[in-house]
């Protein structure tokens, strides 16, 4: 009798499974084409912007505009105004360093006029780091020409020394130590040389967001660690950090990095237990809306929610992120906007009904 019931029920279940699988495959292939995205509070595919991961911060955007025009003073004032809000300072410092990595004439003028300015020294060290990664490119080391790898290591070494000089000028500032930790990853320094750098950073800023992201990269299998070491670092850091630091995202980052090493196409995200995803949901809900770290965390969270089948919650994150899609995990794909759009389509299907 049980077999008869199973045979009767099995056909509808099989039909539903095939139908569901077909819809998911279509969404993964075509994205939101054919879906009324406005009904879900989403923007049309054409309005997604892969140039940025989040909205520009007005005061930072103004300083960046000024330095691009050759005036370093607004950039110096922007950094000075951050004071000892170390995560805010890093966000501003890295924006200025990104500009200087392509044109440092304004930074040279700043350093000439104020040769002992620790802020100028920190920006210079980070600019060298960005220049090193530009020289290397985004490919695997085995596929990178030897001359580019040599330039990469030369610039990283220069960045490391420049960061040491910046640290000597501002002993309490963790920013140069973030640069050193990142350079250590590129130089593949052994664990016994990395740990003292990390200890110096966390002695100044125990929960520095970008510092932890860069340290996680060091402990990943593709650099100087392993999956086990990366997950242990991520889980310990997340467990010990206050929610407002947003470091609860580290286990999601570690899982994604592990998934990236697998065969096949670039994954949407990694797999995490419900408790780890919920911790990030709670953290972003409590974070100030203007926290510059927030969009990057939301992008990772949205992808993880889709993979976990939590479509409605993923859609909430997508609505808050749009139109900005130039962030991980989408930037690991050839077309970030297309990857983002496909994830939205999966979220719509998994939401079950219009939200």
């Amino acid at each position: 009798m049980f077999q008869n019931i199973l045979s009767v029920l099995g056909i509808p279940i099989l039909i539903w499974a095939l139908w569901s699988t077909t819809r998911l495959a279509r969404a993964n292939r075509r994205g939101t084409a054919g879906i009324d995205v406005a009904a879900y509070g989403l923007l049309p595919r054409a309005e997604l912007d892969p140039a940025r991961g989040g909205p520009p911060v007005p005061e930072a955007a103004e300083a960046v505009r000024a330095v691009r025009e050759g005036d370093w003073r607004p950039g110096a004032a922007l950094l000075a105004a951050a004071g000892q809000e170390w995560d805010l300072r890093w966000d501003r410092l890295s924006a200025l360093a990104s500009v200087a990595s392509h044109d440092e004439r304004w930074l040279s003028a700043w350093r000439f006029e104020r040769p002992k300015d620790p802020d100028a020294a920190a920006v210079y060290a980070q600019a060298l780091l960005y220049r090193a990664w530009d020289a290397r490119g985004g490919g695997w080391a085995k596929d990178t020409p030897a001359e580019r790898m040599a330039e990469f290591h030369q610039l990283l070494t220069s960045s490391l020394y420049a960061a040491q000089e910046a640290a000597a000028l501002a002993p309490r500032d963790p920013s140069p130590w973030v640069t050193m930790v990142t350079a250590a990853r590129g130089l593949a320094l052994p664990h016994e040389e990395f740990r003292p750098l990390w200890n110096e950073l966390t002695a100044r800023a125990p929960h520095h967001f970008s510092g932890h992201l860069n340290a996680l990269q060091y402990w990943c299998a593709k650099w100087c660690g392993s999956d086990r070491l990366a997950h242990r670092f991520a889980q310990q850091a997340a467990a010990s950090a206050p929610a407002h630091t947003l470091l609860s995202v580290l286990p999601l980052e570690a899982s994604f990095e592990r998934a990236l090493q697998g065969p096949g196409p670039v994954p949407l995200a990694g797999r995490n237990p419900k408790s780890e995803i919920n911790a990030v949901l709670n953290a972003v809900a409590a974070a100030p809306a203007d926290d510059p770290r927030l969009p990057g965390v939301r992008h990772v969270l949205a992808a993880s929610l889709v993979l976990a089948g939590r479509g409605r919650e993923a859609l909430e994150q997508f609505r808050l992120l749009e139109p900005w899609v130039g962030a991980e995990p989408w930037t690991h794909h050839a077309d970030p906007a297309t990857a983002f759009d496909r994830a939205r389509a999966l979220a719509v299907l998994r939401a079950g009904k219009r939200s």
Side-chain angles (χ1 to χ4, degrees), residues 223-250:
W223 285 104
C224 306
S226 65
D227 292 336
R228 181 181 62 83
L229 289 173
H231 275 277
R232 185 173 69 182
F233 172 83
Q235 290 167 347
Q236 289 178 346
S240 63
H244 72 271
T245 64
L246 295 175
L247 290 180
S248 54
V249 77
L250 288 176

Coordinates of all heavy atoms in Angstrom, one line a residue, residues 223-250:
W223 N 46.9 31.5 -0.9 CA 48.1 32.3 -0.6 C 49.0 31.6 0.4 O 49.8 30.8 -0.1 CB 47.6 33.7 0.0 CG 47.1 34.6 -1.1 CD1 45.8 34.9 -1.3 CD2 47.8 35.3 -2.0 NE1 45.7 35.8 -2.4 CE2 46.9 36.1 -2.8 CE3 49.2 35.4 -2.3 CZ2 47.4 36.9 -3.9 CZ3 49.6 36.3 -3.3 CH2 48.7 37.0 -4.1
C224 N 48.9 31.8 1.7 CA 49.9 31.3 2.6 C 49.3 30.3 3.6 O 50.0 30.0 4.6 CB 50.6 32.5 3.3 SG 51.3 33.7 2.2
G225 N 48.0 29.9 3.5 CA 47.4 29.1 4.5 C 46.7 27.9 4.0 O 47.2 27.2 3.1
S226 N 45.5 27.7 4.5 CA 44.7 26.5 4.1 C 43.3 26.8 4.3 O 43.0 27.8 5.0 CB 45.2 25.3 4.8 OG 44.9 25.4 6.2
D227 N 42.4 26.0 3.8 CA 41.0 26.2 4.1 C 40.7 26.1 5.6 O 39.9 26.9 6.2 CB 40.1 25.1 3.4 CG 40.1 25.2 1.9 OD1 40.4 26.3 1.4 OD2 39.9 24.2 1.2
R228 N 41.4 25.2 6.3 CA 41.2 25.1 7.7 C 41.6 26.3 8.5 O 40.9 26.8 9.4 CB 41.9 23.8 8.3 CG 41.8 23.6 9.8 CD 42.6 22.4 10.2 NE 44.0 22.6 10.0 CZ 44.8 23.2 10.8 NH1 44.3 23.8 11.9 NH2 46.1 23.4 10.5
L229 N 42.8 26.8 8.1 CA 43.3 28.0 8.8 C 42.5 29.2 8.5 O 42.2 30.1 9.4 CB 44.8 28.3 8.4 CG 45.8 27.3 8.9 CD1 47.2 27.5 8.3 CD2 45.9 27.4 10.4
A230 N 42.0 29.4 7.3 CA 41.2 30.5 6.9 C 39.8 30.5 7.7 O 39.4 31.5 8.2 CB 40.9 30.5 5.4
H231 N 39.2 29.3 7.8 CA 37.9 29.2 8.5 C 38.1 29.4 10.0 O 37.3 30.1 10.6 CB 37.3 27.9 8.2 CG 36.5 27.8 6.9 ND1 35.2 28.3 6.9 CD2 36.8 27.5 5.7 CE1 34.7 28.2 5.6 NE2 35.7 27.7 4.9
R232 N 39.2 28.9 10.5 CA 39.4 29.1 11.9 C 39.7 30.6 12.2 O 39.1 31.1 13.2 CB 40.6 28.3 12.4 CG 40.9 28.4 13.9 CD 42.0 27.4 14.3 NE 43.3 27.8 13.8 CZ 44.4 27.2 14.0 NH1 44.4 26.0 14.6 NH2 45.6 27.6 13.6
F233 N 40.5 31.3 11.4 CA 40.7 32.7 11.6 C 39.4 33.5 11.5 O 39.1 34.3 12.4 CB 41.7 33.2 10.6 CG 41.8 34.7 10.6 CD1 42.7 35.3 11.5 CD2 41.1 35.5 9.7 CE1 42.8 36.7 11.5 CE2 41.2 36.9 9.7 CZ 42.1 37.5 10.6
A234 N 38.6 33.2 10.5 CA 37.3 33.9 10.3 C 36.3 33.7 11.4 O 35.7 34.6 11.9 CB 36.7 33.4 9.0
Q235 N 36.2 32.4 11.9 CA 35.2 32.2 12.9 C 35.7 32.7 14.3 O 34.8 33.3 15.0 CB 35.0 30.6 13.0 CG 34.3 30.1 11.8 CD 34.3 28.6 11.7 OE1 35.1 27.9 12.4 NE2 33.5 28.0 10.9
Q236 N 36.9 32.7 14.6 CA 37.4 33.3 15.8 C 37.3 34.8 15.8 O 36.9 35.4 16.8 CB 38.9 32.9 16.1 CG 39.1 31.4 16.4 CD 40.5 31.0 16.6 OE1 41.4 31.7 16.2 NE2 40.8 29.8 17.1
A237 N 37.6 35.4 14.7 CA 37.5 36.9 14.6 C 36.0 37.3 14.7 O 35.7 38.3 15.4 CB 38.1 37.4 13.4
A238 N 35.2 36.6 14.0 CA 33.7 36.9 14.1 C 33.1 36.8 15.5 O 32.3 37.6 15.9 CB 33.0 36.1 13.1
A239 N 33.6 35.7 16.1 CA 33.0 35.4 17.5 C 33.4 36.4 18.5 O 32.7 36.7 19.5 CB 33.4 34.0 17.9
S240 N 34.6 37.0 18.3 CA 35.2 37.9 19.4 C 34.9 39.3 19.1 O 35.2 40.2 19.9 CB 36.7 37.7 19.5 OG 37.3 38.0 18.3
A241 N 34.3 39.7 17.9 CA 34.1 41.1 17.6 C 32.7 41.6 17.9 O 31.8 40.8 17.7 CB 34.4 41.2 16.1
P242 N 32.6 42.8 18.3 CA 31.2 43.4 18.5 C 30.5 43.4 17.1 O 31.1 43.5 16.1 CB 31.5 44.8 19.0 CG 32.9 44.7 19.5 CD 33.6 43.7 18.7
A243 N 29.2 43.4 17.2 CA 28.4 43.3 15.9 C 28.6 44.5 15.1 O 28.6 44.4 13.8 CB 26.9 43.2 16.3
H244 N 28.8 45.7 15.7 CA 29.0 46.9 14.8 C 30.2 46.9 14.0 O 30.3 47.7 13.0 CB 29.0 48.2 15.7 CG 30.2 48.4 16.5 ND1 30.4 47.8 17.8 CD2 31.4 49.0 16.2 CE1 31.6 48.1 18.2 NE2 32.2 48.9 17.3
T245 N 31.2 46.0 14.2 CA 32.4 46.0 13.4 C 32.1 45.3 12.1 O 33.0 45.4 11.2 CB 33.5 45.2 14.1 OG1 33.0 43.8 14.3 CG2 33.8 45.8 15.5
L246 N 31.0 44.6 11.9 CA 30.6 43.9 10.7 C 31.6 42.7 10.4 O 31.5 42.2 9.3 CB 30.5 44.8 9.5 CG 29.4 45.9 9.6 CD1 29.5 46.8 8.4 CD2 28.1 45.2 9.6
L247 N 32.4 42.3 11.3 CA 33.3 41.2 11.1 C 32.6 39.9 11.1 O 33.2 38.8 10.8 CB 34.4 41.2 12.1 CG 35.5 42.4 12.0 CD1 36.5 42.2 13.1 CD2 36.1 42.4 10.6
S248 N 31.3 39.9 11.4 CA 30.6 38.6 11.3 C 30.5 38.1 9.8 O 30.2 36.9 9.6 CB 29.1 38.8 11.8 OG 28.5 39.9 11.1
V249 N 30.9 39.0 8.9 CA 30.9 38.5 7.5 C 32.1 37.6 7.1 O 32.1 37.0 6.1 CB 30.9 39.8 6.5 CG1 32.3 40.4 6.5 CG2 30.4 39.4 5.1
L250 N 33.1 37.6 8.0 CA 34.3 36.8 7.7 C 34.1 35.4 7.4 O 34.7 34.8 6.4 CB 35.3 37.0 8.8 CG 36.0 38.4 8.9 CD1 36.9 38.4 10.2 CD2 36.8 38.7 7.7

